[in-house]
Amino acid sequence: NNDLKMSTNMTPDLIKAQATPQASVLKNLDAVRAMIKRHKLNDYIFSIIGLLALMLALLTLLTLFADLVMDGHERFNLNFFTDFPSRRAANAGLLSAWVGSALVMFVTFIVAVPMGVAAGLYLEEYAPKNWFSDIIEINVSNLAGVPSIIYGLLALGLFVYILDLGQSILTAGLTLGLLILPIVIVSTREAIRGIPVAIREAAYAVGATKWQVVYDHVLKYSYGGILTGVIIGMARALGETAPIITIGALTFIAFLPPTPITEAAPFINFEWLSSGFTVLPIQMFNWLSRPDHAFHINAAATGALIIIVTLLMNGTAIYLRYKIRKNIKW
């Protein structure tokens, strides 16, 4: 009876007030649905724009590569890789250029990779988190974006004039090593950061030391990412021209550096480090500067070869990263 009496005495304003919360909830739900729908539309539009940008970049690269292949396909033969450069375009080859590139890349790898991986490992695992390490981190990140010509000028003043290393393979390797060193450091740190903290904690829980955790666990699980960064850095160094020109690479060379391996003891020869050299981008630049169209065909074949090698290196990096991560069991 009391409930019935209370219901009959309810005024219209009281009834409206009790119904307001339900109406407000429905209104908020409608607003949330509209917001979700709008965000989904924005995501869809952004994905379409990103896909178009990616397709445009790939189409540009494919067009450039196809044009180079069409222009230089007639030079894709064994003699092109086994002959020295010549004043006659039909007899000119890449022997000294690709051998020089291989030796320079070897020095670059020896200089940059151990130092870069060790520096990234120290900054991420051992360095104290203070203002000094923050300054180092900022400088390393900035060095990764410095134009390559700056490294060439630095190498010209430091390695060629001050240290008197000359315009040699060693100077070129040190220059490109400095160029990719920040890339190796950054990629190493990013790979290490991707390792779950639980792996470190589990290793410490069973009594492992700091070095055992780093060597047996952190490096093992981050190996794929580090290797990917190293290969990408080496691919960039392979196509660099500005720093190599700055330190005085030869544009025409018809001889090979001394062989690093000898038949007599101690079976290792270091004279090749001080030898003159040329690399694939320099040889391509030399042929492009010639007025004869036949040399332009050689340059096109060289450009296509550089793109193929770069794509193979990047593809190898992606494959190895996928393979290593697939085999790792967290």
Side-chain angles (χ1 to χ4, degrees):
N1 293 335
N2 292 334
D3 295 339
L4 179 61
K5 182 178 180 180
M6 185 178 296
S7 62
T8 54
N9 292 333
M10 292 178 63
T11 61
D13 293 337
L14 184 58
I15 296 174
K16 183 178 180 181
Q18 291 182 351
T20 299
Q22 184 178 3
S24 177
V25 171
L26 294 176
K27 184 177 180 180
N28 291 337
L29 288 176
D30 292 337
V32 171
R33 292 192 185 98
M35 181 181 65
I36 294 175
K37 184 177 180 181
R38 184 172 65 254
H39 287 175
K40 287 184 177 180
L41 179 61
N42 292 338
D43 291 340
Y44 180 75
I45 294 174
F46 181 79
S47 63
I48 294 297
I49 294 175
L51 180 61
L52 291 177
L54 177 62
M55 295 303 296
L56 179 62
L58 291 178
L59 183 62
T60 302
L61 176 61
L62 182 61
T63 303
L64 174 62
F65 178 70
D67 182 67
L68 291 175
V69 172
M70 291 176 63
D71 291 341
H73 71 279
E74 60 187 73
R75 297 294 290 142
F76 290 151
N77 52 59
L78 184 60
N79 292 333
F80 188 61
F81 296 94
T82 57
D83 292 342
F84 286 103
S86 173
R87 301 186 184 278
R88 296 181 179 180
N91 299 329
L94 286 174
L95 179 60
S96 57
W98 72 258
V99 171
S101 291
L103 294 177
V104 170
M105 288 298 101
F106 176 75
V107 177
T108 301
F109 182 87
I110 296 299
V111 170
V113 174
M115 186 183 303
V117 173
L121 189 62
Y122 171 77
L123 290 174
E124 197 63 31
E125 294 292 329
Y126 290 95
K129 305 302 179 182
N130 51 30
W131 63 270
F132 185 71
S133 60
D134 291 339
I135 292 177
I136 295 177
E137 183 176 354
I138 292 173
N139 283 309
V140 169
S141 300
N142 290 335
L143 286 175
V146 172
S148 59
I149 186 64
I150 304 300
Y151 288 96
L153 295 174
L154 171 65
L156 181 65
L158 178 60
F159 299 137
V160 177
Y161 293 137
I162 296 179
L163 299 180
D164 196 24
L165 296 178
Q167 299 164 335
S168 61
I169 293 176
L170 179 60
T171 301
L174 292 173
T175 304
L176 296 180
L178 290 178
L179 177 66
I180 71 170
L181 182 61
I183 301 175
V184 177
I185 294 176
V186 172
S187 62
T188 299
R189 298 192 65 186
E190 292 299 326
I192 293 175
R193 287 176 182 174
I195 305 303
V197 180
I199 292 179
R200 297 178 175 86
E201 294 176 347
Y204 285 127
V206 296
T209 63
K210 179 71 173 180
W211 172 246
Q212 288 174 331
V213 172
V214 172
Y215 183 77
D216 294 329
H217 299 279
V218 174
L219 281 179
K220 176 182 177 181
Y221 290 118
S222 61
Y223 176 73
I226 295 174
L227 186 62
T228 301
V230 169
I231 295 177
I232 292 176
M234 294 294 293
R236 178 187 174 184
L238 178 66
E240 285 293 340
T241 307
I244 302 300
I245 292 179
T246 305
I247 63 176
L250 301 175
T251 57
F252 184 87
I253 177 173
F255 61 88
L256 293 179
T259 176
I261 307 298
T262 60
E263 296 180 355
F267 307 106
I268 299 178
N269 179 23
F270 293 101
E271 293 181 3
W272 60 276
L273 290 173
S274 58
S275 175
F277 72 99
T278 190
V279 292
L280 290 172
I282 300 297
Q283 187 63 67
M284 180 181 176
F285 171 78
N286 180 29
W287 282 336
L288 282 174
S289 62
R290 303 287 186 90
D292 190 355
H293 179 69
F295 283 106
H296 296 175
I297 296 177
N298 292 346
T302 306
L305 177 64
I306 293 175
I307 292 178
I308 291 173
V309 174
T310 304
L311 291 177
L312 287 176
M313 293 180 70
N314 285 275
T316 302
I318 295 173
Y319 172 77
L320 290 177
R321 180 178 60 183
Y322 170 77
K323 194 73 175 177
I324 292 173
R325 289 183 177 180
K326 185 179 180 180
N327 293 332
I328 291 177
K329 302 196 181 292
W330 300 100

Short mmCIF file of all heavy atoms in Angstrom, two decimals, residues 37 51 54 66 71 77 113 157 186-187 201 205 226 228 232 235 245 255-256 292 306 324:
data_model
loop_
_atom_site.label_atom_id
_atom_site.label_comp_id
_atom_site.label_asym_id
_atom_site.label_seq_id
_atom_site.Cartn_x
_atom_site.Cartn_y
_atom_site.Cartn_z
N LYS A 37 33.40 4.74 -34.62
CA LYS A 37 33.19 4.68 -36.06
C LYS A 37 34.07 5.70 -36.78
O LYS A 37 34.65 5.41 -37.84
CB LYS A 37 31.71 4.94 -36.37
CG LYS A 37 31.37 4.81 -37.84
CD LYS A 37 29.88 4.99 -38.05
CE LYS A 37 29.53 4.85 -39.54
NZ LYS A 37 28.07 5.04 -39.77
N LEU A 51 49.50 2.82 -47.84
CA LEU A 51 49.67 1.83 -48.90
C LEU A 51 50.00 2.50 -50.23
O LEU A 51 50.88 2.03 -50.97
CB LEU A 51 48.40 0.99 -49.03
CG LEU A 51 48.42 -0.11 -50.11
CD1 LEU A 51 49.52 -1.12 -49.82
CD2 LEU A 51 47.06 -0.80 -50.19
N LEU A 54 53.61 3.65 -50.09
CA LEU A 54 54.50 2.51 -50.25
C LEU A 54 54.55 2.03 -51.69
O LEU A 54 55.63 1.76 -52.23
CB LEU A 54 54.04 1.38 -49.32
CG LEU A 54 54.83 0.06 -49.41
CD1 LEU A 54 56.28 0.28 -49.01
CD2 LEU A 54 54.19 -1.00 -48.53
N ALA A 66 64.39 -1.17 -63.55
CA ALA A 66 64.08 -1.69 -64.89
C ALA A 66 64.78 -0.88 -65.97
O ALA A 66 65.28 -1.43 -66.96
CB ALA A 66 62.57 -1.68 -65.12
N ASP A 71 69.02 -0.68 -70.03
CA ASP A 71 70.14 0.02 -70.66
C ASP A 71 71.44 -0.79 -70.59
O ASP A 71 72.25 -0.72 -71.52
CB ASP A 71 70.37 1.38 -69.99
CG ASP A 71 69.24 2.35 -70.28
OD1 ASP A 71 68.51 2.13 -71.27
OD2 ASP A 71 69.08 3.33 -69.52
N ASN A 77 77.87 -9.98 -68.42
CA ASN A 77 78.59 -11.19 -68.82
C ASN A 77 79.82 -11.35 -67.94
O ASN A 77 80.16 -10.47 -67.13
CB ASN A 77 78.97 -11.14 -70.31
CG ASN A 77 79.72 -9.86 -70.66
OD1 ASN A 77 80.77 -9.59 -70.10
ND2 ASN A 77 79.14 -9.08 -71.58
N VAL A 113 81.74 -3.00 -36.59
CA VAL A 113 80.81 -3.95 -35.96
C VAL A 113 81.21 -4.31 -34.53
O VAL A 113 80.39 -4.16 -33.61
CB VAL A 113 80.67 -5.21 -36.83
CG1 VAL A 113 79.82 -6.26 -36.12
CG2 VAL A 113 80.04 -4.84 -38.17
N GLY A 157 90.88 15.19 -43.04
CA GLY A 157 91.75 15.91 -42.12
C GLY A 157 92.45 15.03 -41.12
O GLY A 157 93.63 15.25 -40.79
N VAL A 186 72.86 2.13 -32.52
CA VAL A 186 71.42 2.32 -32.32
C VAL A 186 70.67 1.01 -32.53
O VAL A 186 69.77 0.66 -31.73
CB VAL A 186 70.90 3.41 -33.27
CG1 VAL A 186 69.38 3.49 -33.22
CG2 VAL A 186 71.49 4.77 -32.89
N SER A 187 71.00 0.27 -33.58
CA SER A 187 70.31 -1.00 -33.83
C SER A 187 70.60 -2.02 -32.73
O SER A 187 69.71 -2.80 -32.34
CB SER A 187 70.73 -1.56 -35.19
OG SER A 187 72.12 -1.84 -35.22
N GLU A 201 65.64 -11.42 -15.19
CA GLU A 201 65.29 -11.75 -13.81
C GLU A 201 65.39 -13.25 -13.54
O GLU A 201 65.84 -13.68 -12.47
CB GLU A 201 63.89 -11.24 -13.50
CG GLU A 201 63.78 -9.72 -13.52
CD GLU A 201 62.35 -9.26 -13.30
OE1 GLU A 201 61.44 -10.12 -13.38
OE2 GLU A 201 62.14 -8.05 -13.05
N ALA A 205 67.86 -15.06 -10.96
CA ALA A 205 67.25 -15.88 -9.91
C ALA A 205 67.97 -17.20 -9.70
O ALA A 205 67.96 -17.76 -8.59
CB ALA A 205 65.78 -16.13 -10.23
N ILE A 226 70.48 -7.39 -33.95
CA ILE A 226 71.81 -6.81 -34.13
C ILE A 226 72.34 -7.12 -35.52
O ILE A 226 72.88 -6.25 -36.21
CB ILE A 226 72.76 -7.34 -33.05
CG1 ILE A 226 72.32 -6.86 -31.67
CG2 ILE A 226 74.19 -6.91 -33.33
CD1 ILE A 226 73.12 -7.45 -30.52
N THR A 228 70.66 -7.77 -38.20
CA THR A 228 69.91 -6.99 -39.19
C THR A 228 70.45 -5.58 -39.30
O THR A 228 70.66 -5.06 -40.41
CB THR A 228 68.42 -6.96 -38.80
OG1 THR A 228 67.91 -8.29 -38.74
CG2 THR A 228 67.63 -6.16 -39.81
N ILE A 232 72.23 -3.91 -42.71
CA ILE A 232 71.67 -2.69 -43.30
C ILE A 232 72.72 -1.57 -43.31
O ILE A 232 72.83 -0.81 -44.29
CB ILE A 232 70.41 -2.27 -42.52
CG1 ILE A 232 69.29 -3.28 -42.76
CG2 ILE A 232 69.96 -0.87 -42.94
CD1 ILE A 232 68.03 -3.01 -41.97
N ALA A 235 75.10 -2.31 -46.09
CA ALA A 235 74.49 -2.01 -47.39
C ALA A 235 74.54 -0.52 -47.68
O ALA A 235 74.74 -0.12 -48.83
CB ALA A 235 73.04 -2.51 -47.39
N ILE A 245 85.01 9.85 -52.37
CA ILE A 245 85.59 10.85 -53.27
C ILE A 245 86.41 11.86 -52.48
O ILE A 245 87.48 12.29 -52.91
CB ILE A 245 84.47 11.55 -54.07
CG1 ILE A 245 83.83 10.56 -55.04
CG2 ILE A 245 85.01 12.75 -54.82
CD1 ILE A 245 82.70 11.15 -55.86
N PHE A 255 94.84 -2.00 -61.80
CA PHE A 255 95.61 -3.00 -61.08
C PHE A 255 94.85 -3.36 -59.82
O PHE A 255 93.93 -2.65 -59.39
CB PHE A 255 97.01 -2.47 -60.71
CG PHE A 255 96.98 -1.25 -59.83
CD1 PHE A 255 96.95 -1.36 -58.45
CD2 PHE A 255 96.99 0.02 -60.39
CE1 PHE A 255 96.93 -0.25 -57.64
CE2 PHE A 255 96.97 1.15 -59.58
CZ PHE A 255 96.93 1.01 -58.20
N LEU A 256 95.23 -4.47 -59.23
CA LEU A 256 94.60 -4.93 -57.99
C LEU A 256 95.55 -4.69 -56.81
O LEU A 256 96.77 -4.73 -56.98
CB LEU A 256 94.27 -6.42 -58.08
CG LEU A 256 93.19 -6.82 -59.09
CD1 LEU A 256 93.01 -8.34 -59.06
CD2 LEU A 256 91.88 -6.13 -58.81
N ASP A 292 80.96 9.50 -74.22
CA ASP A 292 80.60 8.37 -75.06
C ASP A 292 79.42 7.62 -74.43
O ASP A 292 79.45 7.24 -73.26
CB ASP A 292 81.80 7.44 -75.21
CG ASP A 292 81.57 6.36 -76.26
OD1 ASP A 292 80.44 6.29 -76.79
OD2 ASP A 292 82.51 5.59 -76.53
N ILE A 306 74.70 -2.62 -58.27
CA ILE A 306 74.70 -2.08 -56.90
C ILE A 306 73.33 -2.26 -56.26
O ILE A 306 73.21 -2.63 -55.08
CB ILE A 306 75.13 -0.60 -56.92
CG1 ILE A 306 76.59 -0.47 -57.34
CG2 ILE A 306 74.92 0.04 -55.54
CD1 ILE A 306 77.05 0.96 -57.50
N ILE A 324 65.99 -16.37 -37.14
CA ILE A 324 66.52 -16.43 -35.78
C ILE A 324 65.41 -16.27 -34.76
O ILE A 324 65.34 -16.99 -33.76
CB ILE A 324 67.60 -15.35 -35.60
CG1 ILE A 324 68.83 -15.70 -36.46
CG2 ILE A 324 68.01 -15.22 -34.13
CD1 ILE A 324 69.88 -14.62 -36.49
#
